[in-house]
Amino acid sequence: MSRESKCNFRYVYMFGLFSVVFIVFALFTFGYMPGNMLLMTDQYEAKPEVVRVNATFCNPSEHDELSDINVIDKMDTEALYLTFSRYILTKQIKCCNVSRAGPGNTFGKNICLDYFNKMQNRCLVYSFGSQFKFDFENAISKSYRCEIHTFDPSLSTEGVHIPSGVNFHLIGLSNTDTIFSAPVGFRGEKKWRMQSLLSIRKSLKHTKRFIDVLKIDIEGWEWKALPEILQSGVLNYVKQLCLEVHFGYDIQIIWNGNRAVGYRHLNTTWGNVAIQNQLQTLKRLYDHGFRIFMSDPIKQWATYHLKQTKKSIDTLVEISLVNIYNQ
């Protein structure tokens, strides 16, 4: 063999060896990529069972979990409020890409874009409680073109403009399917049609789809609805939850004409649900994989003043959560 042939052979041999090493390296480095690609496909077409995945949110936060349910049962009122405040204001996971859907007031909500399904006409959003304020829905529709369903049974739609991107339903969220009589003196619909999330999802033929964002702002009645949602398993199909929490004792607004000038606490609780049970519901949300990535206290409204510790607790708090078991 000539020197030139040996040289060519050497180059071919080295190229072949390099190719083999590169292929082996690529297989080891990207070996899970087909699985990830399959996951990206699966998130659009939900399966009957819950797919639990180790979500890779950037820099998960260190935080304390709520006490065991039996411990919560034995807490006095001050301990319940202090535990609630510590828990609800703790960022449990860090979202790298937070987007505000709507304005900075209570009509807007925070969305975590790290795992939000932004494929056109793929994402699904349920919004409970609107009073015909569609800032949140309009922002979602404009940016992501999701399929949006908004629910509120309290006001008549007569003469109201519903945005083209919103499917509006005169239905309220509850723990059962029923007709609810509006409070005495309420200016609006006198009979409210209420349904569970399980029934709503079935009626809309969404039982095989994930809800990318579930927004609940229903003035304290979340404590009635959430236990049923947890019990039914529907929450396993929810990826993000925007929840306005009304904790502890209910309030009565003090009016001066058409202007709210203050409030006072009542002896009844929000949703007529015991404070221990409210805290236990938050515990169950955590156990089902929901982690708080944003907390926004609604200042100057419903602040509860503790007598023993002299602390003031914000009891109206907007929290934004992601389901780490379903990303």
Side-chain angles (χ1 to χ4, degrees), residues 3 8 11 71 79 85 105 146 194 196 231 267 290:
R3 178 176 298 178
N8 291 337
Y11 288 144
V71 177
S85 181
N105 58 27
C146 296
M194 311 296 289
S196 68
Q231 182 67 32
N267 292 325
F290 283 85

Side-chain angles (χ1 to χ4, degrees), residues 308-322:
Q308 295 179 14
T309 59
K310 308 299 182 183
K311 291 188 176 182
S312 297
I313 306 298
D314 294 315
T315 62
L316 298 188
V317 185
E318 290 201 351
I319 57 175
S320 307
L321 310 95
V322 289

Side-chain angles (χ1 to χ4, degrees), residues 154-224:
S154 61
L155 300 172
S156 172
T157 57
E158 184 177 353
V160 176
H161 171 69
I162 308 296
S164 58
V166 174
N167 300 283
F168 189 84
H169 309 268
L170 276 171
I171 300 172
L173 182 64
S174 183
N175 59 335
T176 186
D177 300 350
T178 187
I179 301 297
F180 179 79
S181 296
V184 177
F186 181 80
R187 301 175 184 176
E189 295 292 310
K190 302 304 180 183
K191 297 292 184 180
W192 298 353
R193 182 186 173 195
M194 311 296 289
Q195 287 188 336
S196 68
L197 186 58
L198 180 67
S199 296
I200 291 171
R201 201 161 161 258
K202 286 181 178 178
S203 66
L204 294 176
K205 297 180 171 54
H206 289 161
T207 55
K208 293 185 178 181
R209 294 183 63 183
F210 283 105
I211 301 173
D212 291 274
V213 179
L214 172 62
K215 190 210 85 174
I216 300 178
D217 182 359
I218 53 177
E219 304 308 315
W221 295 103
E222 64 269 13
W223 304 122
K224 285 285 189 182

Side-chain angles (χ1 to χ4, degrees), residues 17-156:
L17 182 61
F18 176 82
S19 299
V20 171
V21 171
F22 178 82
I23 291 171
V24 171
F25 173 80
L27 287 173
F28 274 99
T29 304
F30 305 104
Y32 293 105
M33 186 168 289
N36 286 338
M37 292 174 67
L38 179 61
L39 174 62
M40 292 171 65
T41 303
D42 287 347
Q43 70 178 336
Y44 303 143
E45 298 180 8
K47 296 180 178 180
E49 70 277 3
V50 177
V51 181
R52 294 182 180 250
V53 179
N54 292 323
T56 55
F57 290 87
C58 63
N59 189 24
S61 303
E62 294 291 334
H63 61 277
D64 296 327
E65 297 182 31
L66 280 173
S67 302
D68 184 81
I69 287 177
N70 294 327
V71 177
I72 293 174
D73 275 335
K74 298 176 183 178
M75 290 180 178
D76 61 18
T77 300
E78 293 225 355
L80 288 168
Y81 273 95
L82 288 170
T83 302
F84 164 77
S85 181
R86 173 187 58 79
Y87 180 79
I88 211 75
L89 298 179
T90 300
K91 204 177 273 191
Q92 300 169 353
I93 200 165
K94 183 177 180 181
C95 174
C96 298
N97 300 286
V98 178
S99 176
R100 184 72 177 177
N105 58 27
T106 58
F107 298 122
K109 305 298 174 186
N110 296 312
I111 305 297
C112 180
L113 299 183
D114 291 3
Y115 290 90
F116 186 63
N117 182 359
K118 292 179 283 188
M119 293 293 289
Q120 184 174 349
N121 299 327
R122 289 283 194 176
C123 46
L124 179 62
V125 175
Y126 281 13
S127 176
F128 289 95
S130 74
Q131 297 182 333
F132 299 132
K133 305 293 185 183
F134 297 107
D135 304 79
F136 167 73
E137 289 87 343
N138 285 334
I140 291 287
S141 177
K142 181 179 179 180
S143 298
Y144 310 114
R145 300 183 182 275
C146 296
E147 179 180 339
I148 302 171
H149 293 267
T150 299
F151 306 82
D152 196 321
S154 61
L155 300 172
S156 172

